Amino acid sequence: MRRRAQAPPSPLPQRAGIDPVRLRLPADPEGSWPDLGSYLAARYAGTRGEESMARLLAAGRVLGPGGRVLHARDPYEPGAHLWFHRDMEPEPRVPFTVRVVHRDEHLLVVDKPHFLATTPRGSHITETALARLREELDLPGLSPAHRLDRLTAGLVMFSVRPEDRGAYQLLFQRREVHKEYEALAPRDPALTFPRTVRSRIEKLRGVIAATEVPGPPNAESLIELVDVRGGLGRYRLTPHTGRTHQLRVHMNGLGLPILGDPVYPEVADPAPDDYRRPLQLLARVLAFTDPVTGAAHRFESTRTLQAWHDRPGWEAGP
């Protein structure tokens, strides 16, 4: 089997803990792009990147292998690599801290707060757990082993060294990590627990909400009612698969939407800096055998879901 040639090393360092963007120029059998500038203009046409890329080229901030500055009028070279840092709008500081639960030379486990994204995505670049941890802990090679939704708090795993990343990611791909979540949602006396929910979940690119659709199940969750306080239930959720928004979709499908969910059952649009009523979903437990050291690990979040003991404070926000 033919192997793809390895990309040359980046001539740009990380900036604020964020890796530079790397592009490999595609083939151009029709000769559509006489120069680099025309290709980049076509690639980013109609997006925010159109003006930004023109500025980066003009400022000499797009580099080729070895740190060579690239210009808009440079010949187009199919297969060549280039690197640049995105122009980033100032991001509001998410006013909550990431707690380190475990750190060794291979593995980092942290307890992420609500409202902080795990990795750069969309408008969240520097205000992410990955960017903060790379900078604060001086771990430039840090990589996520999996991802936790921005609105969900709790445990997240990272590999410290690039050479270990695949081993930790494979744990999740093979479903060899035991995960438990805690959630607060309405109680329905007509429903019996524990129960296993199986359904087919699909999420379209660019659409916020995932949906349950007819077809063979691709998502499975064990749902247990742990405690009741008035009309509110405290649930332990154990996913056996890892579909996007799986637990939120399954709880909503039972008529028990998780408290504070801005997507299920209806999509809302809270302001980015509105930290009131955080989603009452917590990644409570991670347990697995370390694929690098062979150690048996079980980690548990020390965070609590505020609405269980302080509903008015949860509604008012920080």
Side-chain angles (χ1 to χ4, degrees):
M1 187 173 72
R2 188 177 179 183
R3 292 188 175 183
R4 179 181 294 183
Q6 189 173 9
S10 169
L12 283 169
Q14 291 178 354
R15 190 178 71 185
I18 303 299
D19 293 320
V21 175
R22 175 177 65 85
L23 287 183
R24 185 173 186 267
L25 303 183
D28 183 23
E30 304 297 327
S32 303
W33 305 305
D35 52 40
L36 179 61
S38 61
Y39 165 72
L40 292 174
R43 178 185 175 92
Y44 292 100
T47 72
R48 289 188 302 174
E50 186 173 8
E51 292 185 6
S52 175
M53 185 55 67
R55 287 196 303 269
L56 293 176
L57 281 168
R61 293 168 54 195
V62 180
L63 302 185
R68 178 170 62 95
V69 175
L70 302 178
H71 304 282
R73 293 187 178 180
D74 285 347
Y76 184 79
E77 300 178 9
H81 292 84
L82 57 85
W83 292 263
F84 60 90
H85 280 295
R86 292 188 182 98
D87 274 338
M88 295 181 293
E89 298 291 334
E91 294 178 46
R93 178 77 174 175
V94 176
F96 311 109
T97 59
V98 182
R99 303 171 185 169
V100 174
V101 175
H102 171 87
R103 179 180 177 181
D104 60 36
E105 62 180 312
H106 306 285
L107 176 67
L108 178 71
V109 181
V110 303
D111 208 348
K112 184 185 81 67
H114 295 286
F115 301 110
L116 185 69
T118 301
T119 57
R121 190 175 186 181
S123 61
H124 306 287
I125 305 297
T126 58
E127 279 303 290
T128 63
L130 179 62
R132 282 194 189 180
L133 293 165
R134 279 179 170 179
E135 190 167 16
E136 293 171 4
L137 302 181
D138 191 25
L139 294 174
L142 195 69
S143 299
H146 64 125
R147 190 163 56 208
L148 198 61
D149 285 348
R150 184 179 70 90
L151 299 180
T152 304
L155 299 177
V156 189
M157 284 171 49
F158 297 85
S159 64
V160 173
R161 308 187 311 170
E163 56 265 39
D164 297 332
R165 177 176 58 191
Y168 288 111
Q169 290 178 337
L170 202 58
L171 279 179
F172 289 89
Q173 294 172 16
R174 292 177 173 172
R175 301 175 188 172
E176 294 175 352
V177 179
H178 175 75
K179 297 180 286 184
E180 292 179 14
Y181 290 71
E182 183 179 324
L184 303 183
R187 178 205 177 199
D188 183 349
L191 295 177
T192 58
F193 296 94
R195 65 170 54 218
T196 298
V197 179
R198 299 180 183 90
S199 68
R200 184 167 191 83
I201 296 177
E202 293 186 359
K203 187 177 184 301
L204 299 177
R205 186 178 181 88
V207 178
I208 294 176
T211 56
E212 291 180 291
V213 299
N218 62 3
E220 179 178 321
S221 307
L222 173 63
I223 301 176
E224 301 169 272
L225 180 60
V226 176
D227 202 354
V228 174
R229 182 170 291 174
L232 191 64
R234 186 159 64 92
Y235 297 86
R236 178 167 54 240
L237 312 178
T238 306
H240 296 299
T241 52
R243 309 302 297 185
T244 299
H245 294 181
Q246 175 177 318
L247 298 175
R248 297 161 65 182
V249 170
H250 279 168
M251 289 294 286
N252 183 62
L254 293 174
L256 306 174
I258 297 174
L259 213 61
D261 197 325
V263 176
Y264 307 97
E266 295 182 1
V267 177
D269 189 23
D273 58 351
D274 184 354
Y275 302 120
R276 296 171 298 168
R277 297 181 290 278
L279 177 69
Q280 295 298 273
L281 180 62
L282 174 67
R284 171 67 72 190
V285 173
L286 288 176
F288 57 95
T289 299
D290 194 303
V292 178
T293 66
H297 290 304
R298 179 182 171 88
F299 302 111
E300 187 163 351
S301 171
T302 59
R303 298 185 185 274
T304 59
L305 294 175
Q306 184 183 10
W308 185 248
H309 56 83
D310 181 17
R311 183 74 175 262
W314 169 78
E315 292 178 345

mmCIF file of all heavy atoms in Angstrom, residues 7-30:
data_model
loop_
_atom_site.group_PDB
_atom_site.id
_atom_site.type_symbol
_atom_site.label_atom_id
_atom_site.label_comp_id
_atom_site.label_asym_id
_atom_site.label_seq_id
_atom_site.Cartn_x
_atom_site.Cartn_y
_atom_site.Cartn_z
ATOM 1 N N ALA A 7 4.347 15.304 6.001
ATOM 2 C CA ALA A 7 4.467 16.758 5.856
ATOM 3 C C ALA A 7 5.749 17.243 6.516
ATOM 4 O O ALA A 7 6.166 16.711 7.557
ATOM 5 C CB ALA A 7 3.272 17.442 6.484
ATOM 6 N N PRO A 8 6.402 18.236 5.942
ATOM 7 C CA PRO A 8 7.578 18.809 6.591
ATOM 8 C C PRO A 8 7.182 19.493 7.893
ATOM 9 O O PRO A 8 6.012 19.824 8.091
ATOM 10 C CB PRO A 8 8.099 19.813 5.557
ATOM 11 C CG PRO A 8 6.924 20.117 4.686
ATOM 12 C CD PRO A 8 6.092 18.888 4.655
ATOM 13 N N PRO A 9 8.127 19.688 8.802
ATOM 14 C CA PRO A 9 7.797 20.330 10.085
ATOM 15 C C PRO A 9 7.354 21.769 9.884
ATOM 16 O O PRO A 9 7.784 22.456 8.956
ATOM 17 C CB PRO A 9 9.115 20.250 10.866
ATOM 18 C CG PRO A 9 10.178 20.106 9.820
ATOM 19 C CD PRO A 9 9.561 19.339 8.704
ATOM 20 N N SER A 10 6.499 22.213 10.782
ATOM 21 C CA SER A 10 5.974 23.578 10.689
ATOM 22 C C SER A 10 7.063 24.598 10.982
ATOM 23 O O SER A 10 7.815 24.458 11.955
ATOM 24 C CB SER A 10 4.829 23.771 11.683
ATOM 25 O OG SER A 10 4.484 25.132 11.771
ATOM 26 N N PRO A 11 7.176 25.658 10.169
ATOM 27 C CA PRO A 11 8.128 26.722 10.465
ATOM 28 C C PRO A 11 7.584 27.728 11.464
ATOM 29 O O PRO A 11 8.298 28.636 11.884
ATOM 30 C CB PRO A 11 8.332 27.382 9.097
ATOM 31 C CG PRO A 11 7.019 27.191 8.412
ATOM 32 C CD PRO A 11 6.493 25.866 8.882
ATOM 33 N N LEU A 12 6.294 27.580 11.847
ATOM 34 C CA LEU A 12 5.667 28.506 12.788
ATOM 35 C C LEU A 12 5.498 27.844 14.142
ATOM 36 O O LEU A 12 5.070 26.693 14.228
ATOM 37 C CB LEU A 12 4.288 28.940 12.273
ATOM 38 C CG LEU A 12 4.262 29.984 11.156
ATOM 39 C CD1 LEU A 12 2.857 30.101 10.589
ATOM 40 C CD2 LEU A 12 4.731 31.334 11.673
ATOM 41 N N PRO A 13 5.801 28.540 15.216
ATOM 42 C CA PRO A 13 5.561 27.987 16.550
ATOM 43 C C PRO A 13 4.086 28.110 16.908
ATOM 44 O O PRO A 13 3.307 28.750 16.207
ATOM 45 C CB PRO A 13 6.412 28.891 17.458
ATOM 46 C CG PRO A 13 6.392 30.223 16.762
ATOM 47 C CD PRO A 13 6.387 29.901 15.277
ATOM 48 N N GLN A 14 3.709 27.462 18.011
ATOM 49 C CA GLN A 14 2.364 27.683 18.536
ATOM 50 C C GLN A 14 2.228 29.139 18.960
ATOM 51 O O GLN A 14 3.200 29.794 19.321
ATOM 52 C CB GLN A 14 2.106 26.788 19.749
ATOM 53 C CG GLN A 14 2.010 25.331 19.434
ATOM 54 C CD GLN A 14 1.814 24.524 20.702
ATOM 55 O OE1 GLN A 14 1.866 25.053 21.802
ATOM 56 N NE2 GLN A 14 1.607 23.236 20.546
ATOM 57 N N ARG A 15 1.007 29.631 18.884
ATOM 58 C CA ARG A 15 0.707 30.978 19.362
ATOM 59 C C ARG A 15 -0.446 30.871 20.325
ATOM 60 O O ARG A 15 -1.519 30.392 19.967
ATOM 61 C CB ARG A 15 0.329 31.890 18.201
ATOM 62 C CG ARG A 15 0.251 33.365 18.597
ATOM 63 C CD ARG A 15 -0.089 34.237 17.397
ATOM 64 N NE ARG A 15 -1.468 34.048 16.977
ATOM 65 C CZ ARG A 15 -1.990 34.608 15.895
ATOM 66 N NH1 ARG A 15 -1.241 35.344 15.098
ATOM 67 N NH2 ARG A 15 -3.257 34.406 15.585
ATOM 68 N N ALA A 16 -0.214 31.304 21.571
ATOM 69 C CA ALA A 16 -1.215 31.181 22.629
ATOM 70 C C ALA A 16 -1.677 29.734 22.772
ATOM 71 O O ALA A 16 -2.837 29.453 23.025
ATOM 72 C CB ALA A 16 -2.411 32.091 22.360
ATOM 73 N N GLY A 17 -0.729 28.806 22.591
ATOM 74 C CA GLY A 17 -1.042 27.397 22.756
ATOM 75 C C GLY A 17 -1.743 26.762 21.584
ATOM 76 O O GLY A 17 -2.135 25.609 21.642
ATOM 77 N N ILE A 18 -1.911 27.490 20.447
ATOM 78 C CA ILE A 18 -2.649 26.984 19.302
ATOM 79 C C ILE A 18 -1.680 26.665 18.172
ATOM 80 O O ILE A 18 -0.823 27.474 17.825
ATOM 81 C CB ILE A 18 -3.687 28.018 18.812
ATOM 82 C CG1 ILE A 18 -4.626 28.389 19.952
ATOM 83 C CG2 ILE A 18 -4.469 27.479 17.637
ATOM 84 C CD1 ILE A 18 -5.410 27.235 20.510
ATOM 85 N N ASP A 19 -1.817 25.479 17.601
ATOM 86 C CA ASP A 19 -0.990 25.101 16.470
ATOM 87 C C ASP A 19 -1.344 25.956 15.257
ATOM 88 O O ASP A 19 -2.507 26.337 15.061
ATOM 89 C CB ASP A 19 -1.218 23.640 16.103
ATOM 90 C CG ASP A 19 -0.730 22.694 17.190
ATOM 91 O OD1 ASP A 19 0.332 22.967 17.768
ATOM 92 O OD2 ASP A 19 -1.428 21.689 17.457
ATOM 93 N N PRO A 20 -0.368 26.260 14.397
ATOM 94 C CA PRO A 20 -0.690 26.963 13.155
ATOM 95 C C PRO A 20 -1.503 26.075 12.221
ATOM 96 O O PRO A 20 -1.469 24.847 12.307
ATOM 97 C CB PRO A 20 0.685 27.272 12.559
ATOM 98 C CG PRO A 20 1.607 26.263 13.159
ATOM 99 C CD PRO A 20 1.074 25.984 14.533
ATOM 100 N N VAL A 21 -2.250 26.704 11.333
ATOM 101 C CA VAL A 21 -3.001 25.975 10.323
ATOM 102 C C VAL A 21 -2.033 25.501 9.241
ATOM 103 O O VAL A 21 -1.174 26.264 8.798
ATOM 104 C CB VAL A 21 -4.083 26.879 9.697
ATOM 105 C CG1 VAL A 21 -4.803 26.161 8.558
ATOM 106 C CG2 VAL A 21 -5.075 27.329 10.757
ATOM 107 N N ARG A 22 -2.179 24.238 8.828
ATOM 108 C CA ARG A 22 -1.356 23.709 7.737
ATOM 109 C C ARG A 22 -2.260 23.349 6.568
ATOM 110 O O ARG A 22 -3.272 22.682 6.735
ATOM 111 C CB ARG A 22 -0.570 22.476 8.172
ATOM 112 C CG ARG A 22 0.209 21.827 7.022
ATOM 113 C CD ARG A 22 1.044 20.652 7.506
ATOM 114 N NE ARG A 22 0.247 19.557 8.000
ATOM 115 C CZ ARG A 22 -0.280 18.605 7.240
ATOM 116 N NH1 ARG A 22 -0.110 18.630 5.921
ATOM 117 N NH2 ARG A 22 -0.988 17.632 7.774
ATOM 118 N N LEU A 23 -1.908 23.794 5.379
ATOM 119 C CA LEU A 23 -2.637 23.452 4.167
ATOM 120 C C LEU A 23 -1.711 22.729 3.192
ATOM 121 O O LEU A 23 -0.555 23.118 3.040
ATOM 122 C CB LEU A 23 -3.184 24.699 3.475
ATOM 123 C CG LEU A 23 -4.385 25.418 4.107
ATOM 124 C CD1 LEU A 23 -4.793 26.582 3.218
ATOM 125 C CD2 LEU A 23 -5.537 24.471 4.310
ATOM 126 N N ARG A 24 -2.221 21.702 2.561
ATOM 127 C CA ARG A 24 -1.511 21.046 1.460
ATOM 128 C C ARG A 24 -2.271 21.389 0.183
ATOM 129 O O ARG A 24 -3.466 21.114 0.057
ATOM 130 C CB ARG A 24 -1.452 19.538 1.652
ATOM 131 C CG ARG A 24 -0.620 18.810 0.602
ATOM 132 C CD ARG A 24 -0.487 17.339 0.987
ATOM 133 N NE ARG A 24 0.416 16.644 0.085
ATOM 134 C CZ ARG A 24 0.036 15.995 -1.009
ATOM 135 N NH1 ARG A 24 -1.259 15.977 -1.339
ATOM 136 N NH2 ARG A 24 0.919 15.376 -1.771
ATOM 137 N N LEU A 25 -1.616 22.035 -0.738
ATOM 138 C CA LEU A 25 -2.274 22.528 -1.942
ATOM 139 C C LEU A 25 -2.698 21.362 -2.827
ATOM 140 O O LEU A 25 -1.895 20.484 -3.149
ATOM 141 C CB LEU A 25 -1.343 23.466 -2.709
ATOM 142 C CG LEU A 25 -0.818 24.673 -1.906
ATOM 143 C CD1 LEU A 25 0.041 25.561 -2.800
ATOM 144 C CD2 LEU A 25 -1.952 25.470 -1.297
ATOM 145 N N PRO A 26 -3.971 21.327 -3.246
ATOM 146 C CA PRO A 26 -4.477 20.203 -4.038
ATOM 147 C C PRO A 26 -4.002 20.256 -5.487
ATOM 148 O O PRO A 26 -3.470 21.266 -5.960
ATOM 149 C CB PRO A 26 -5.992 20.382 -3.954
ATOM 150 C CG PRO A 26 -6.179 21.854 -3.781
ATOM 151 C CD PRO A 26 -5.017 22.315 -2.935
ATOM 152 N N ALA A 27 -4.231 19.150 -6.182
ATOM 153 C CA ALA A 27 -3.894 19.098 -7.615
ATOM 154 C C ALA A 27 -4.744 20.107 -8.395
ATOM 155 O O ALA A 27 -5.854 20.451 -7.986
ATOM 156 C CB ALA A 27 -4.141 17.686 -8.145
ATOM 157 N N ASP A 28 -4.209 20.560 -9.510
ATOM 158 C CA ASP A 28 -4.903 21.556 -10.340
ATOM 159 C C ASP A 28 -4.780 21.159 -11.814
ATOM 160 O O ASP A 28 -4.106 21.830 -12.601
ATOM 161 C CB ASP A 28 -4.315 22.945 -10.085
ATOM 162 C CG ASP A 28 -5.027 24.042 -10.864
ATOM 163 O OD1 ASP A 28 -6.210 23.830 -11.249
ATOM 164 O OD2 ASP A 28 -4.415 25.099 -11.094
ATOM 165 N N PRO A 29 -5.427 20.034 -12.197
ATOM 166 C CA PRO A 29 -5.247 19.545 -13.577
ATOM 167 C C PRO A 29 -5.789 20.503 -14.637
ATOM 168 O O PRO A 29 -5.337 20.471 -15.778
ATOM 169 C CB PRO A 29 -6.035 18.228 -13.579
ATOM 170 C CG PRO A 29 -7.023 18.375 -12.468
ATOM 171 C CD PRO A 29 -6.319 19.180 -11.415
ATOM 172 N N GLU A 30 -6.734 21.371 -14.249
ATOM 173 C CA GLU A 30 -7.311 22.309 -15.217
ATOM 174 C C GLU A 30 -6.535 23.618 -15.288
ATOM 175 O O GLU A 30 -6.856 24.484 -16.108
ATOM 176 C CB GLU A 30 -8.776 22.611 -14.850
ATOM 177 C CG GLU A 30 -9.656 21.371 -14.730
ATOM 178 C CD GLU A 30 -9.765 20.635 -16.046
ATOM 179 O OE1 GLU A 30 -9.748 21.316 -17.102
ATOM 180 O OE2 GLU A 30 -9.871 19.397 -16.025
#
